[in-house]
Structures are given as C-alpha cells and as structure tokens.
Amino acid sequence: MKSFFRLIRELPIPVKILLLCAMARAVSFFAILAYLPIYLHDALDMNGATIGYVLGVCLIVGTVVSVYGGYLADRFVKVHFMIALDVVLTLLYGGLPLIGSPVLVIGVLLAANIASSSMSVTANALLADLLPSENRAKVFSLRYSLQNIGAAVGPFLGVWTVQAGQGGPFLLSAGVIFAALLPLLVFRRLFTGAAAQEAAARREKPEEAADDESMNFREVLRVMRADRRLGLFTLGGILSIVVYGPLLTYMSQYLVTVESRDTAYQLVAYISAANAIVVISTQYVIGSRLKEKTLLRWLTWGTGAFVLGLVGMALSTEAWIIVAAIVVFTIGEVIVVPAEYMFIDAIAPDNLRGSYFGAQNLVHIGVAIGPIICGFLLVHATPAAMFAALVALAIAGWWFYVLGCRATAPSTATAVGADAQKVNP
C-alpha cells in the first residue's frame, strides 16, 4: 500500500490529469449507456431489434474508425487532439436531446462512438509517452480501476438525472466531459512540454523522424499488417473480450432462460457488484506485478481463471456459487486487460504508438460479437453449449497470445524505427 501511495505522489501532473479524465469519461459513457435504450424506445419509438442494431453498428464502426484516430494521434500533438475530441463530444451529447429525427440521432451516436473510441486510443498513447516503461503497467491498471469506479457510479447518476427531464443523462454527460476538458486546457503546456521533449529525442534519430513525417495512413497500415505480433495479439484480444467484455449481457441472456425473471434480475445484480468490487480492489495489486518477461505466464493464469469461472457459472445458479465463480472469472479480466496494453506498448514503435493502440482497440468488436454468439446458442442449443463455446474461445484467445509473444519483430517495422524487442514467454 505504501508503494501505491508513493506512486501516486510521484506521478507527473499530466498523468494525474489523464487518470481523473479517464474516470470522468467513464462516468459520462455509462450514464448514457444505461439510459440510451430507454431513450431510443420512448422518445424515438424504436423497437428492441432496431435499438440493438443501432447500438451494435455504432460500436463496431467507432471501433474500426479508431484505427485512423490512432494514426491522427501520431500526426498531431496528442493533447490538442484530445481537447478537440472532448469539444466534439460535449457538443454531440449536449445537442442530442434537441434532435427529434431518428436518422440524425443515429448519426450523432455514430459520431460520438467514433470520437469516444479515438479518445481512448489517444489517451493510451499519451499515457505511454508520459511514463517510464517500468511504471506503465501499474498506471494502466490504476486507470482501469478508476474507469470501473466511473462505470459503477455513472448509471446511478444517469437514473438520477432522468428526474430533471428526458435528456438529463445526455446533459450530465456533456457537463462531465466539459469538466474533463478544463484541466487539459489549463495545463496543456505541461503536456506540450512533454511532447516537445519527445520530438527532440526523435530528432536525434534522423531516419525515424523522416519516416514519422513522410508515412501516410496506407503506409502505416502496411507496417502494422506486416507485424505478426500485433495481428496475433489483436486476434487473441478479440476472442478474449468476447468472453469477459459482455459478461453481464450474456449472463442476463442465460439466467432469464433458466430462472424466473425476478431471480435473474437479482443474480445479475450480484454478478455486477462482485465483478466491480473485484476489479476495483485487485486491479492495481495484480497489475503492478505484471512484468514484460513473464507476460505469457500471467496471460496463462488469466485464461485459466476465465475457464474456472465459466465452469463454476455453468454448474449452478445458486447465488453463492455464481458469486464465487465471478470472483475467479474477474481475476482473469484483471490480468488480461493490462497485459494486453503492456504487450502493445512493448512492441509499438515510438512514432506509431497511437496507430498500434488504435489497431489493438479493434478487440472491442468482440463486445458486439459475444451476445450474438451466446444468444444463438441459447436459442438453438443449450446453456451448456454456450459455456462450452466461451471456454473454447478463451483457450483460442490464449493460443493467439502464445503465438504473438513468440513471433519475431518484422524487418519492415525495424525500417521505420521500430523497437525490435520481443516479449519473452
């Protein structure tokens, strides 16, 4: 605990600002997420299927376009790009209650998802720029804990603001994003000072600086496509996030088929609470122990926790068994999330860090895929088949992690100043 508080005290002011902004944006996002289906149904008269398509398409498009957002983060001063994205999000969320056209609402939600995904990618790259390598896993873990606190608080605030009017959660989110924008504006010189130091360091490597300035988006994509480590780890991340990303969604789908509606609601509440408590209480403790040289070992333990947790959930719907299984399962999530960031940070060239994090952000496609797979199996097979499929996906994801950790750096990446280090299993 002493090392934790020492780390907090020693963090640069820009890093502390980014951490607080990450929590604020999580509050904003989840305040809307919990309310959005209700809003689309009541205000725009969309049915359940249409709402699902709208939210799913917006998520997938935002995730895919964030690859280009990562490229833009590498081309511009990252803090300036974040400020621009925050301004866009504030305007979009603040203006959403004023729009009555379903088509325009879908367009706004699509733009908001693109901006939000690009913001996440840029923040990852900027954090990595501002931190020494030995502290990055710790800070990524701390940020994930803060984001989960925001995810726990956001829905309650969103429900509370509904009393102020139908657009209350949107106005709350716009206000929270604007509050997160202010410290970026006030202290932007601290961020730009760090960016200037990074630029000066690059000028000491003329070949890297030249490549950084001359590479267009297509060339950046070619470099990333040639890096088998990035491709394999991204595939592993997509399969893994299918398992842990939509946990509440597929457990809700499962429980309403095997229990009464009231019991299902109660068990989902237990699952949500247990997941949040474990993440918040253990994320830093575990994340601070992740080491680059033993990353594959940690990922193996994380996958094992997924498998054990899924087996426990499949065995019984007794509340204490479900909660115990969720605790074990969530340990896997606590390990895998920072480990993925740590691996991508280790293989990313300094001048392409935003682009690499943008590619890694594609794993969130798995959040949209998971409920589709589970819903299909629950309708056309059995609950046991759903859990068996999730176990298989977790193991397949681990195997791609193994291949990614063992793959060698591509010569193409070396030509653009890549860090050719390899994460050892």
Side-chain angles (χ1 to χ4, degrees):
M1 186 60 69
K2 289 182 180 179
S3 63
F4 171 75
F5 289 113
R6 188 184 307 115
L7 173 69
I8 297 296
R9 286 195 304 269
E10 293 175 353
L11 287 177
I13 291 176
V15 173
K16 293 178 182 178
I17 292 172
L18 288 177
L19 291 175
L20 291 175
C21 288
M23 184 169 67
R25 292 190 190 96
V27 170
S28 171
F29 179 79
F30 283 95
I32 289 179
L33 187 64
Y35 168 71
L36 195 54
I38 300 172
Y39 173 79
L40 294 176
H41 179 271
D42 293 346
L44 302 178
D45 199 29
M46 291 187 185
N47 59 38
T50 302
I51 291 170
Y53 292 139
V54 168
L55 297 182
V57 168
C58 287
L59 173 64
I60 292 173
V61 172
T63 299
V64 172
V65 176
S66 68
V67 177
Y68 188 71
Y71 167 77
L72 293 178
D74 289 329
R75 304 279 78 76
F76 299 107
V77 177
K78 292 183 179 68
V79 69
H80 292 168
F81 190 44
M82 291 180 68
I83 289 170
L85 290 171
D86 269 340
V87 170
V88 170
L89 285 169
T90 301
L91 294 175
L92 290 174
Y93 288 151
L96 199 54
L98 306 177
I99 302 174
S101 166
V103 174
L104 289 178
V105 168
I106 292 172
V108 169
L109 292 176
L110 197 60
N113 270 271
I114 291 170
S116 182
S117 295
S118 297
M119 172 68 75
S120 175
V121 169
T122 307
N124 288 337
L126 184 53
L127 265 181
D129 287 346
L130 294 171
L131 289 165
S133 58
E134 62 270 16
N135 284 341
R136 287 173 189 165
K138 298 177 183 179
V139 174
F140 278 132
S141 294
L142 175 59
R143 189 190 61 166
Y144 191 61
S145 295
L146 293 174
Q147 288 173 324
N148 274 274
I149 293 173
V153 172
F156 291 102
L157 293 178
V159 170
W160 177 70
T161 56
V162 170
Q163 300 174 4
Q166 196 170 49
F170 298 121
L171 297 178
L172 168 70
S173 293
V176 171
I177 291 292
F178 182 75
L181 168 63
L182 291 178
L184 293 179
L185 288 169
V186 172
F187 295 100
R188 68 185 182 279
R189 292 185 182 275
L190 296 178
F191 290 92
T192 54
Q197 292 178 0
E198 182 184 354
R202 286 190 195 169
R203 282 195 293 270
E204 296 177 2
K205 304 176 182 178
E207 72 287 351
E208 181 173 327
D211 285 320
D212 186 22
E213 294 173 358
S214 63
M215 292 180 68
N216 58 36
F217 183 55
R218 183 177 298 177
E219 291 168 335
V220 170
L221 288 178
R222 190 179 301 121
V223 170
M224 293 194 296
R225 190 165 55 245
D227 194 338
R228 291 185 68 249
R229 302 168 303 171
L230 176 62
L232 290 167
F233 230 79
T234 300
L235 287 172
I238 290 173
L239 295 175
S240 293
I241 207 171
V242 168
V243 176
Y244 71 82
L247 170 67
L248 292 180
T249 302
Y250 68 69
M251 285 304 293
S252 298
Q253 292 172 293
Y254 160 64
L255 289 170
V256 296
T257 65
V258 297
E259 295 287 348
S260 68
R261 190 168 296 273
D262 289 342
T263 301
Y265 286 156
Q266 186 177 40
L267 289 173
V268 169
Y270 291 155
I271 290 170
S272 178
N275 179 259
I277 290 170
V278 173
V279 169
I280 293 169
S281 61
T282 65
Q283 182 68 70
Y284 177 80
V285 175
I286 293 177
S288 63
R289 287 166 169 74
L290 294 179
K291 302 297 179 185
E292 191 176 311
K293 293 182 178 180
T294 57
L295 204 55
L296 184 53
R297 186 185 309 164
W298 279 100
L299 286 166
T300 301
W301 292 341
T303 302
F306 285 150
V307 171
L308 290 176
L310 289 167
V311 171
M313 286 181 260
L315 288 177
S316 173
T317 56
E318 287 288 334
W320 71 270
I321 294 178
I322 288 282
V323 170
I326 290 297
V327 169
V328 175
F329 181 92
T330 306
I331 294 298
E333 177 185 350
V334 166
I335 292 171
V336 167
V337 171
E340 287 183 350
Y341 287 121
M342 191 173 180
F343 181 86
I344 299 301
D345 179 62
I347 68 171
D350 289 340
N351 59 323
L352 296 180
R353 185 170 280 125
S355 299
Y356 266 61
F357 275 118
Q360 189 268 341
N361 198 54
L362 291 174
V363 302
H364 290 95
I365 292 174
V367 177
I369 295 173
I372 297 173
I373 294 174
C374 293
F376 177 84
L377 291 174
L378 286 172
V379 171
H380 298 285
T382 63
M386 183 193 81
F387 286 108
L390 290 170
V391 167
L393 288 170
I395 294 172
W398 169 80
W399 181 241
F400 279 111
Y401 290 147
V402 172
L403 296 177
C405 285
R406 292 178 177 173
T408 56
S411 57
T412 306
T414 305
V416 294
D419 180 356
Q421 63 181 308
K422 177 184 174 183
V423 179
N424 297 319

